[in-house]
Amino acid sequence: MAELAQLIDSEVFLAYATYTTIVLLKMMLMSLITAFFRMTRKAFSNPEDTATFGKGENAKKYLRTDPDVERARRGHLNDLENIVPFIGIGLLYALSGPALSTALLHFRIFVGARIFHTIAYLTPLPQPSRGFSWLAGYAVTISMAYRVLKTGLYL
Amino acid sequence: MAELAQLIDSEVFLAYATYTTIVLLKMMLMSLITAFFRMTRKAFSNPEDTATFGKGENAKKYLRTDPDVERARRGHLNDLENIVPFIGIGLLYALSGPALSTALLHFRIFVGARIFHTIAYLTPLPQPSRGFSWLAGYAVTISMAYRVLKTGLYL
Amino acid sequence: MAELAQLIDSEVFLAYATYTTIVLLKMMLMSLITAFFRMTRKAFSNPEDTATFGKGENAKKYLRTDPDVERARRGHLNDLENIVPFIGIGLLYALSGPALSTALLHFRIFVGARIFHTIAYLTPLPQPSRGFSWLAGYAVTISMAYRVLKTGLYL
């Protein structure tokens, strides 16, 4: 287990682990936000979820979409679309031996941008706030991908 | 390659690899279930998918949503939303050197909960079966994230 | 950091890093394609995104779905559903010590199949082009999962 210990002791890898965990927890928060809106707005997708509101027609009216629920769901999907590439490319980037300060800059901008993206989406803030925060995270991932491919391209 | 051999020989990492592969295969099964419902219910999203049922208006009527197809798709998306954090945080957790028995407990509860979640979603079982199985997987991931951040927080 | 250097120097791992980065960049391209269709077709999901087209009723008419936007979004979601298992299982596969030529065969077929899948989805090409390209990627992932579980099953 000596290798594992050294792997986990590399500062770049520790930083990757910390920021990845934080941004994944942020993404998981979207499930709770969606559930909160579903319950306060009484808007569900599955008949079995509305059983506590009565039977038959009385329950059926809660099988509907709600703008706040849909907004939270779009934010969640946007997280998936952007955080999955960050985790995959970020792991390879962390293993490519970047300078600690450069790596920290990448991770911090990405995680900050995604947190701001969620705030901009849920408030909602006027555009282009959400667009710019999306772009910042996107650019960080492209920059890490560039370094991974430059360090060791093997086709 | 000695390091790789030792990495892959760590029992915690082997357990992580086994349970991650199983839960990803389970997630991939959702594609087949959706395809099965699309074909038996004749409900498609793309005009080119309905070409075998004839041309023009005759094929167009199969461009529709079906409750069983949508249910399988929601189960698939819920898998993505929950399994992605498990894989990312689980990898870092496996590298953080947890006790084998604790790690196995986490992995087994998560994979068991997600398999039960799919059964509860597709049957469908009355609530709160699906809600509780979702919560069990969610709690396991939070617990692993807590250990990762406690072991080596590097902000 | 010697271990990291040797890990990243293994040719199989380098190949995994290269193909994973390429296929994730391809997936990220779907965001730009969706944004392109949203802007040229003027079809948005959020009121704040239509603010540049005027106020009130004039902007509201752009809150609609468009077949091309929905098609790009379905392609993006299909990428997520298939590339997430590839990355997770592929990493474990790369660490299981496969022969370089076998590993390259797996990675190349998967990435080629997903690029073709996107072309088949967006053109759209007549079926079963898209179906077969989906199946090729699916089969590669199953084959890698089989090797991972055969190399070290730890339940």
Side-chain angles (χ1 to χ4, degrees):
Chain A
M1 297 276 285
E3 286 71 25
L4 287 185
Q6 278 172 273
L7 181 72
I8 204 75
D9 279 350
S10 134
E11 284 176 310
V12 170
F13 195 82
L14 273 181
Y16 168 74
T18 302
Y19 286 99
T20 288
T21 305
I22 290 170
V23 84
L24 282 173
L25 289 172
K26 191 225 76 61
M27 188 175 94
M28 289 173 71
L29 187 61
M30 301 309 290
S31 299
L32 298 184
I33 292 172
T34 303
F36 170 80
F37 281 132
R38 280 203 185 285
M39 276 184 263
T40 54
R41 270 63 169 169
K42 291 199 171 52
F44 299 90
S45 298
N46 300 294
E48 67 268 27
D49 301 351
T50 64
T52 48
F53 303 116
K55 293 202 174 212
E57 291 309 310
N58 206 30
K60 238 180 201 171
K61 69 180 175 204
Y62 299 121
L63 290 178
R64 56 190 185 87
T65 58
D66 171 89
D68 290 325
V69 172
E70 295 309 306
R71 184 174 281 277
R73 292 184 62 219
R74 286 196 298 275
H76 201 165
L77 186 58
N78 194 281
D79 266 357
L80 264 175
E81 291 169 358
N82 289 279
I83 292 175
V84 164
F86 171 79
I87 297 174
I89 293 172
L91 174 65
L92 304 168
Y93 171 78
L95 296 175
S96 76
L100 179 60
S101 57
T102 318
L104 281 171
L105 191 68
H106 281 80
F107 301 157
R108 282 171 186 162
I109 292 175
F110 184 85
V111 175
R114 293 310 305 178
I115 292 172
F116 186 79
H117 184 271
T118 301
I119 295 168
Y121 218 146
L122 293 181
T123 307
L125 299 179
Q127 285 282 32
S129 335
R130 197 183 88 235
F132 275 142
S133 60
W134 172 82
L135 188 63
Y138 199 84
V140 164
T141 311
I142 299 279
S143 164
M144 296 194 306
Y146 173 73
R147 188 187 153 90
V148 169
L149 295 181
K150 211 188 61 174
T151 306
L153 191 67
Y154 198 103
L155 285 166
Chain B
M1 297 275 288
E3 286 70 27
L4 287 187
Q6 278 173 274
L7 181 71
I8 204 76
D9 278 350
S10 134
E11 284 176 309
V12 169
F13 194 82
L14 273 180
Y16 168 75
T18 302
Y19 285 99
T20 288
T21 304
I22 290 170
V23 84
L24 282 174
L25 289 173
K26 191 225 76 60
M27 188 175 93
M28 289 172 72
L29 188 61
M30 300 309 290
S31 298
L32 298 184
I33 292 172
T34 303
F36 171 80
F37 281 132
R38 280 201 185 286
M39 275 183 264
T40 53
R41 271 62 169 171
K42 292 201 171 51
F44 299 90
S45 297
N46 300 294
E48 67 268 27
D49 301 351
T50 62
T52 47
F53 302 117
K55 294 208 172 205
E57 290 310 310
N58 206 31
K60 240 181 198 170
K61 70 180 176 204
Y62 299 121
L63 289 178
R64 56 190 185 87
T65 58
D66 171 88
D68 290 324
V69 171
E70 295 309 306
R71 184 174 281 277
R73 292 183 63 218
R74 286 196 298 274
H76 201 164
L77 187 58
N78 194 280
D79 266 357
L80 264 176
E81 291 169 359
N82 288 280
I83 293 175
V84 164
F86 171 79
I87 297 174
I89 293 172
L91 174 66
L92 304 168
Y93 170 79
L95 296 175
S96 77
L100 178 60
S101 58
T102 318
L104 281 172
L105 191 68
H106 281 80
F107 300 157
R108 282 171 185 160
I109 293 175
F110 183 85
V111 174
R114 291 312 304 178
I115 291 172
F116 185 79
H117 183 272
T118 300
I119 295 168
Y121 217 146
L122 292 181
T123 307
L125 298 179
Q127 284 282 33
S129 336
R130 196 182 88 234
F132 275 142
S133 60
W134 172 83
L135 188 61
Y138 199 85
V140 164
T141 311
I142 299 280
S143 165
M144 296 194 306
Y146 174 73
R147 187 186 154 89
V148 170
L149 294 181
K150 211 188 61 174
T151 306
L153 191 69
Y154 198 103
L155 285 167
Chain C
M1 297 275 286
E3 286 70 25
L4 286 186
Q6 278 171 273
L7 181 71
I8 204 76
D9 279 350
S10 135
E11 284 176 310
V12 169
F13 194 83
L14 273 181
Y16 168 75
T18 302
Y19 285 99
T20 288
T21 304
I22 290 170
V23 84
L24 282 173
L25 289 173
K26 191 225 76 61
M27 187 174 95
M28 289 173 71
L29 187 61
M30 300 309 289
S31 298
L32 298 184
I33 292 171
T34 303
F36 171 80
F37 281 132
R38 281 203 184 284
M39 275 184 264
T40 53
R41 270 62 170 170
K42 292 201 171 51
F44 299 90
S45 298
N46 301 293
E48 67 269 26
D49 301 351
T50 63
T52 47
F53 303 117
K55 294 207 172 203
E57 290 310 309
N58 206 32
K60 239 180 200 170
K61 68 180 176 204
Y62 300 121
L63 290 178
R64 56 190 186 86
T65 57
D66 170 88
D68 290 323
V69 171
E70 295 309 306
R71 184 174 281 276
R73 292 184 62 218
R74 286 196 298 274
H76 201 165
L77 187 58
N78 194 281
D79 267 356
L80 264 175
E81 291 169 358
N82 289 279
I83 292 175
V84 164
F86 172 79
I87 297 174
I89 293 172
L91 174 65
L92 303 168
Y93 170 79
L95 296 175
S96 76
L100 178 60
S101 58
T102 319
L104 281 172
L105 191 69
H106 281 79
F107 301 157
R108 282 171 186 161
I109 293 175
F110 183 86
V111 175
R114 293 310 305 179
I115 291 173
F116 186 79
H117 183 272
T118 300
I119 295 168
Y121 218 146
L122 293 181
T123 307
L125 298 179
Q127 284 283 32
S129 336
R130 198 183 86 234
F132 275 142
S133 61
W134 172 83
L135 187 62
Y138 199 85
V140 164
T141 311
I142 299 279
S143 165
M144 297 194 305
Y146 174 74
R147 186 184 154 93
V148 170
L149 294 181
K150 211 188 61 172
T151 306
L153 191 68
Y154 198 103
L155 285 166

